[in-house]
Amino acid sequence: MAACGGAGCGPQCSSSSSAGGQEDALAESMGRLSTASAAAACGKCDGGGAAVAVAGGVGMCAGCFRAHLFGKFKLSVTSNAMVRPTDAVLLAFSGGPASRVALQFIHEMQSKAIQSWEASNSQALPVFSLGVAFVDERSVLSASLPGHEIQAAIEDIRSVVSGLSPGDKRVHIAPLEEVFSSGSDDKAARLKEVVGVISDETGRDDFVRRLRMLSLQKVALENGYTKIMLGTCASGIACHVLSATVKGQGYALPADVQYVDTRWEVPVVLPLHDCLAQELNLLCEIDSLKTQQLLDRPCSGINGLVSSFVSRLREENSSREHTILRTAQKLKPFSFNKFSANGYHDFLPSRLRPKFQNIDANECTFSEILCLICGSPFSESELLNLENTKLKAQKKIDLYTAHCCQSCHFQILPAATDMYGHFFSLLPKFWTEKVDAASASHSSLRDQIADYLLDEDDGN
Amino acid sequence: MDSSATDGARLPPPRAGSRLCVRCGERKAALKRPKTLEQICRECFYIIFEDEIHQTIVQNSLFKAGERVAIGASGGKDSTVLAYVLSELNRQHNYGLDLFLLSVDEGITGYRDDSLETVKRNEIQYGLPLKIVSYKDLYGWTMDDIVKAIGLKNNCTFCGVFRRQALDRGAALLKADKIVTGHNADDIAETVLLNILRGDIARLSRCTFITTGEDGPIPRCKPFKYTYEKEIVMYAYFKKLDYFSTECIYSPNAYRGFAREFIKDLERMRPRAILDIIKSGENFRISTTTRMPEQGTCERCGYISSQKLCKACVLLDGLNRGLPKLGIGSTKAGARADSDGKQRTKRSERNTSSLQGKHGNFDF
């Protein structure tokens, strides 16, 4: 069950507005998009209808705007080989506009695939299957949000999903505390305790996001899913770019802003990578897609500050988020930011296969050391620190600590070093088991050469 | 900057019974250190402040004994403190540097002439020779003239480009081996963010370098790379250093750019965020598929440039031909602006202004 992974933006990132600000932001965004093309005709279908939105500098009617966004979604999926016919896809659903659109679009792709499959004679390839997961975070939410409102939201999600046919789709409600599956003690209490130990507001926020991803991984692994699809959009990614920069994670940042992330046991894909939150909000309005504003918690701390900053930049220049994204995409991605397993691309349409075959040929080994807590690849200085600690570590706690990146060290580990042991003991066991395994491997090597070591006082 | 100075001035006097310095444990704490929030006394602050800069200089091998070093001096707090501290460290640690002050006179009536008076006093106070080069002498235009020609919008672009080149030319004239500037940690963090926001990957890859232009005739160093702006103000305040703190009259709102404001908010929330941004900038790895502009020299004046003509010559050519907006913005954007009409141009200009830092663009 051990899953190493990265701190990508969770579904919550897909909508950066607070519940109260959501409606205002939507009204503003609609107003702004509409104003630019007031009374103008659609630039795409040439006079087919009044323009309601501007995307990519062109005024579009509702139908063309929708097709434009769907086209971006589909292009992301196909050009990055996100979904194969044999895949079982788990969509992370938060109820926000972005994941709602992602659900709608992936459902439409599935529907079309089913129709093609039924119409074809060969029926050689299956159609990918789809499930939906909602992470229930009631146990870490403040009392300001009553449990029964979340329950009502969950029922809404079930009805939305059951209304999408053809193609059966299971709904998985994943309580966050289920990540703490080992042992028989009270999981919710343990979750509360470990989160409570983190004194930095931003650190708590990032830690909960990490748990959310682990929760999705758990659901996926237990139910046979082969991909996890997030509703993270361009706006959320832009916020993450700045947040990671502010936290000193410039080295690791590219890992979280690509379309594909295979650090996880179940790879994570971001099909709405190129769509703006503003566009997705507008589409939900146009198509009357019901969203759950209730579940949108405002980011706090550094993340909240970054969110406000990006909103302000967007108001001033609507393409700023894309510029930030483009900058980040010029940074070097990691080997796990693409699919490279042998034979992975075999099911692709023949016209796409040559592109990926070149990638397969250049396959390189995944050799990054990842942070124990957030899964970020270690920078050179962090690696040096880790190597030094391995040489002289007397306690497991020291190894665990050295396996945390500098950002997590500062904002997630307790300020008092004597609290480290307590903190690590609260974590789900499979987190520290990876370090134990690596440490055991190192000890084993040491044992083999122990007879030849001169310094007899040295010993773990 | 004014608010920073004022904040410094408002520091409460040490109260009877206030806690002791966490460093020496002997004297009363006089301040809370902006970088770490430690409560320390004045003397320990001097030691820490100077020693951190010394460590930065040594660890990055900024200087060699015998080098002639030009200190870019504007009269503002950063360069004034830099001149003072560098002079002190040169004496304490026997760097063996030949230091002098180098100022650029942009020709801004009511602002630069007053700030240069400050530098002239610094020359006497610190015993460092001063050389002033002016836009008028180098380019034939003062900033007053330029603003008359093009108005307030975009004048910072001219000033930033000209000033950078003027500093290099002045240093060459006086046979300097190195130039040091007072860019501080806040400036560099801001530049990292601005380059991300603007999509400027070329600058993003080099804006955290502590030394730039090592391939060129006169390298340029930033000893204050890891020094917080608030600490510079605090140091100047306690040492009673004489500096000029008025903002440039032609860019009164530049100080309140979005990115600067954001960085100040970050610093309040998490002081180390400024160093973290710099660390991120240092750790970014540019994809090798990204094409980086090639360095060459301007065919007219010989200054370093990735184009046939350097930016200063392009701008100067525009001024001299009575077409001052020539060279403002990229060629592609210019062409598009023309075709889209006034609306786009207006929006474009407005967009540019809010992402400028203080004194316009940082040409790191």
Side-chain angles (χ1 to χ4, degrees):
Chain A
M1 179 68 73
C4 65
C9 292
Q12 296 290 350
C13 253
S14 58
S15 184
S16 57
S17 303
S18 63
Q22 181 82 20
E23 290 172 0
D24 290 340
L26 183 58
E28 271 187 37
S29 88
M30 287 189 68
R32 184 172 313 106
L33 289 177
S34 300
T35 297
S37 60
C42 178
K44 283 250 183 182
C45 56
D46 199 21
V52 299
V54 174
V58 182
M60 293 183 196
C61 64
C64 289
F65 177 65
R66 192 185 195 287
H68 171 72
L69 290 186
F70 184 64
K72 285 207 269 190
F73 179 94
K74 215 163 53 164
L75 182 61
S76 287
V77 171
T78 57
S79 62
N80 293 281
M82 287 183 187
V83 178
R84 299 175 299 170
T86 52
D87 276 325
V89 177
L90 180 67
L91 177 80
F93 190 77
S94 67
S99 61
R100 181 66 187 86
V101 169
L103 174 61
Q104 192 66 33
F105 282 175
I106 192 63
H107 161 66
E108 286 175 20
M109 285 187 75
Q110 189 194 44
S111 295
K112 288 182 170 114
I114 288 173
Q115 288 168 24
S116 297
W117 181 74
E118 288 172 351
S120 78
N121 293 321
S122 65
Q123 298 191 345
L125 290 181
V127 174
F128 67 89
S129 63
L130 185 60
V132 176
F134 171 76
V135 180
D136 178 356
E137 300 177 26
R138 274 180 279 192
S139 48
V140 286
L141 290 176
S142 59
S144 66
L145 194 54
H148 68 268
E149 290 192 29
I150 291 189
Q151 194 55 43
I154 290 173
E155 293 311 313
D156 280 343
I157 293 170
R158 290 190 190 279
S159 71
V160 164
V161 174
S162 64
L164 297 171
S165 64
D168 291 333
K169 300 168 180 62
R170 291 183 57 192
V171 175
H172 308 272
I173 307 299
L176 199 60
E177 60 266 24
E178 287 301 319
V179 170
F180 297 83
S181 59
S182 59
S184 57
D185 45 8
D186 186 349
K187 297 165 189 165
R190 190 163 165 182
L191 170 60
K192 267 190 160 72
E193 187 176 1
V194 72
V195 171
V197 166
I198 303 169
S199 56
D200 185 272
E201 192 176 17
T202 308
R204 275 199 302 279
D205 193 43
D206 287 352
F207 187 76
V208 169
R209 289 187 197 193
R210 176 62 172 184
L211 291 180
R212 196 179 302 134
M213 282 304 299
L214 288 172
S215 185
L216 292 168
Q217 285 286 322
K218 185 168 187 288
V219 169
L221 286 165
E222 289 177 353
N223 293 279
Y225 292 97
T226 58
K227 295 283 162 53
I228 291 174
M229 183 171 282
L230 304 183
T232 309
C233 65
S235 306
I237 296 172
C239 287
H240 179 76
V241 168
L242 294 183
S243 280
T245 299
V246 165
K247 295 164 187 163
Q249 296 178 304
Y251 177 84
L253 187 164
D256 304 320
V257 303
Q258 313 299 326
Y259 295 89
V260 168
D261 183 354
T262 68
R263 280 175 285 185
W264 302 94
E265 208 164 333
V266 179
V268 175
V269 295
L270 312 181
L272 288 174
H273 184 282
D274 300 315
C275 302
L276 296 172
Q278 190 165 287
E279 293 170 332
L280 300 173
N281 284 334
L282 182 55
L283 182 61
C284 284
E285 190 75 14
I286 288 172
D287 279 9
S288 302
L289 300 177
K290 188 176 183 184
T291 57
Q292 301 288 340
Q293 294 170 8
L294 198 69
L295 304 176
D296 280 336
R297 291 186 301 118
C299 305
S300 53
I302 298 287
N303 299 329
L305 197 53
V306 165
S307 212
S308 303
F309 180 57
V310 171
S311 292
R312 193 168 173 195
L313 294 173
R314 178 176 60 237
E315 284 165 20
E316 191 229 355
N317 180 345
S318 58
S319 62
R320 185 67 62 194
E321 285 160 319
H322 277 311
T323 303
I324 294 170
L325 193 57
R326 215 165 36 247
T327 308
Q329 287 192 290
K330 289 173 179 167
L331 302 178
K332 189 182 290 188
F334 293 89
S335 58
F336 51 74
N337 283 127
K338 62 180 185 294
F339 295 110
S340 55
N342 285 334
Y344 177 81
H345 300 104
D346 287 357
F347 290 106
L348 289 180
S350 54
R351 72 177 184 282
L352 282 178
R353 223 173 289 161
K355 168 188 169 186
F356 289 106
Q357 273 164 0
N358 287 336
I359 296 178
D360 287 336
N362 293 328
E363 177 183 347
C364 51
T365 313
F366 177 174
S367 60
E368 302 286 338
I369 299 290
L370 304 177
C371 171
L372 173 66
I373 296 182
C374 72
S376 291
F378 267 19
S379 66
E380 190 174 330
S381 63
E382 285 159 340
L383 281 175
L384 283 177
N385 176 65
L386 176 57
E387 289 305 314
N388 288 337
T389 303
K390 278 180 176 174
L391 292 180
K392 63 193 182 192
Q394 300 299 317
K395 291 179 274 179
K396 272 185 183 177
I397 301 301
D398 294 334
L399 274 182
Y400 295 159
T401 306
H403 272 89
C404 298
C405 70
Q406 286 176 28
S407 178
C408 289
H409 204 283
F410 171 76
Q411 68 173 20
I412 290 180
L413 293 192
T417 55
D418 56 3
M419 288 282 289
Y420 283 3
H422 178 58
F423 177 79
F424 286 118
S425 70
L426 290 171
L427 294 181
K429 197 152 294 185
F430 64 89
W431 275 22
T432 46
E433 271 167 4
K434 290 201 310 296
V435 175
D436 289 340
S439 172
S441 165
H442 186 260
S443 294
S444 165
L445 288 178
R446 173 177 286 275
D447 287 346
Q448 295 180 41
I449 61 176
D451 291 348
Y452 303 96
L453 295 178
L454 296 185
D455 185 0
E456 295 180 1
D457 289 334
D458 190 358
N460 285 327
Chain B
M1 192 180 303
D2 265 327
S3 63
S4 295
T6 306
D7 286 345
R10 283 203 207 105
L11 280 181
R15 287 183 297 270
S18 66
R19 68 181 70 183
L20 297 178
C21 171
V22 300
R23 290 267 169 160
C24 64
E26 294 166 10
R27 293 172 284 253
K28 286 178 181 175
L31 60 104
K32 186 165 68 172
R33 210 188 151 198
K35 193 184 240 181
T36 60
L37 303 185
E38 288 174 324
Q39 297 195 14
I40 56 180
C41 67
R42 194 182 295 196
E43 287 75 16
C44 284
F45 173 62
Y46 297 152
I47 293 169
I48 292 165
F49 182 85
E50 292 166 7
D51 190 63
E52 277 183 7
I53 295 163
H54 173 60
Q55 292 305 322
T56 298
I57 289 170
V58 170
Q59 285 167 17
N60 292 275
S61 307
L62 294 190
F63 309 119
K64 289 195 279 287
E67 283 183 331
R68 184 157 161 77
V69 176
I71 302 170
S74 64
K77 68 186 189 309
D78 296 319
S79 59
T80 295
V81 172
L82 178 62
Y84 179 90
V85 168
L86 206 50
S87 194
E88 281 293 297
L89 295 179
N90 195 33
R91 185 175 57 76
Q92 288 174 26
H93 298 284
N94 295 311
Y95 293 161
L97 304 177
D98 177 13
L99 300 170
F100 68 98
L101 302 172
L102 176 58
S103 288
V104 174
D105 179 0
E106 296 94 348
I108 303 173
T109 308
Y111 164 70
R112 185 51 82 195
D113 42 1
D114 289 346
S115 69
L116 287 178
E117 286 304 313
T118 306
V119 185
K120 288 170 185 171
R121 289 197 297 274
N122 292 158
E123 177 186 22
I124 297 168
Q125 291 156 358
Y126 306 157
L128 299 172
L130 166 65
K131 173 64 181 177
I132 302 174
V133 293
S134 72
Y135 284 6
K136 187 69 177 178
D137 290 341
L138 292 174
Y139 306 114
W141 292 75
T142 62
M143 278 310 295
D144 290 342
D145 299 332
I146 292 169
V147 169
K148 283 197 191 82
I150 70 168
L152 284 175
K153 288 199 197 327
N154 294 313
N155 82 86
C156 294
T157 299
F158 282 83
C159 193
V161 170
F162 284 174
R163 181 172 59 244
R164 179 183 175 85
Q165 198 186 85
L167 209 57
D168 283 342
R169 290 219 203 160
L173 189 65
L174 295 171
K175 295 179 170 52
D177 298 303
K178 295 262 167 66
I179 298 170
V180 290
T181 60
H183 291 103
N184 57 52
D186 300 48
D187 296 328
I188 296 173
E190 180 180 354
T191 304
V192 170
L193 288 183
L194 285 171
N195 288 333
I196 292 173
L197 299 180
R198 290 174 179 154
D200 194 331
I201 202 73
R203 285 209 168 96
L204 184 61
S205 69
R206 64 174 186 258
C207 62
T208 55
F209 291 175
I210 194 167
T211 301
T212 53
E214 281 181 294
D215 304 331
I218 305 178
R220 189 183 282 231
C221 309
K222 293 170 258 178
F224 282 176
K225 177 184 174 183
Y226 300 110
T227 310
Y228 280 31
E229 182 176 57
K230 278 195 172 68
E231 298 201 353
I232 292 169
V233 175
M234 202 168 275
Y235 187 89
Y237 169 74
F238 282 129
K239 289 281 188 176
K240 295 180 170 56
L241 301 185
D242 179 5
Y243 69 90
F244 189 75
S245 61
T246 306
E247 280 297 334
C248 174
I249 60 176
Y250 289 139
S251 62
N253 295 320
Y255 179 75
R256 290 189 286 279
F258 285 169
R260 196 78 188 183
E261 217 174 296
F262 175 62
I263 283 180
K264 292 305 169 189
D265 289 338
L266 281 174
E267 187 184 11
R268 266 192 291 277
M269 185 177 288
R270 183 184 283 193
R272 66 175 258 163
I274 288 175
L275 290 183
D276 280 341
I277 293 170
I278 294 173
K279 178 169 159 285
S280 283
E282 290 167 337
N283 282 338
F284 287 142
R285 299 176 304 160
I286 311 302
S287 179
T288 48
T289 58
T290 303
R291 187 179 166 279
M292 304 290 273
E294 277 180 33
Q295 292 291 306
T297 54
C298 174
E299 65 178 25
R300 184 174 297 177
C301 72
Y303 192 73
I304 194 167
S305 173
S306 56
Q307 309 294 324
K308 193 154 55 160
L309 285 191
C310 71
K311 190 70 175 178
C313 285
V314 170
L315 295 177
L316 195 56
D317 193 44
L319 283 171
N320 288 330
R321 291 208 264 146
L323 300 167
K325 291 200 189 295
L326 204 66
I328 295 290
S330 70
T331 306
K332 199 187 298 180
R336 189 172 64 238
D338 287 342
S339 63
D340 286 348
K342 194 170 182 180
Q343 184 74 24
R344 180 58 63 106
T345 303
K346 182 179 174 184
R347 196 160 72 101
S348 179
E349 285 177 1
R350 182 171 54 88
N351 294 339
T352 301
S353 64
S354 77
L355 283 189
Q356 284 179 335
K358 62 180 185 181
H359 292 119
N361 296 302
F362 286 92
D363 281 320
F364 289 158

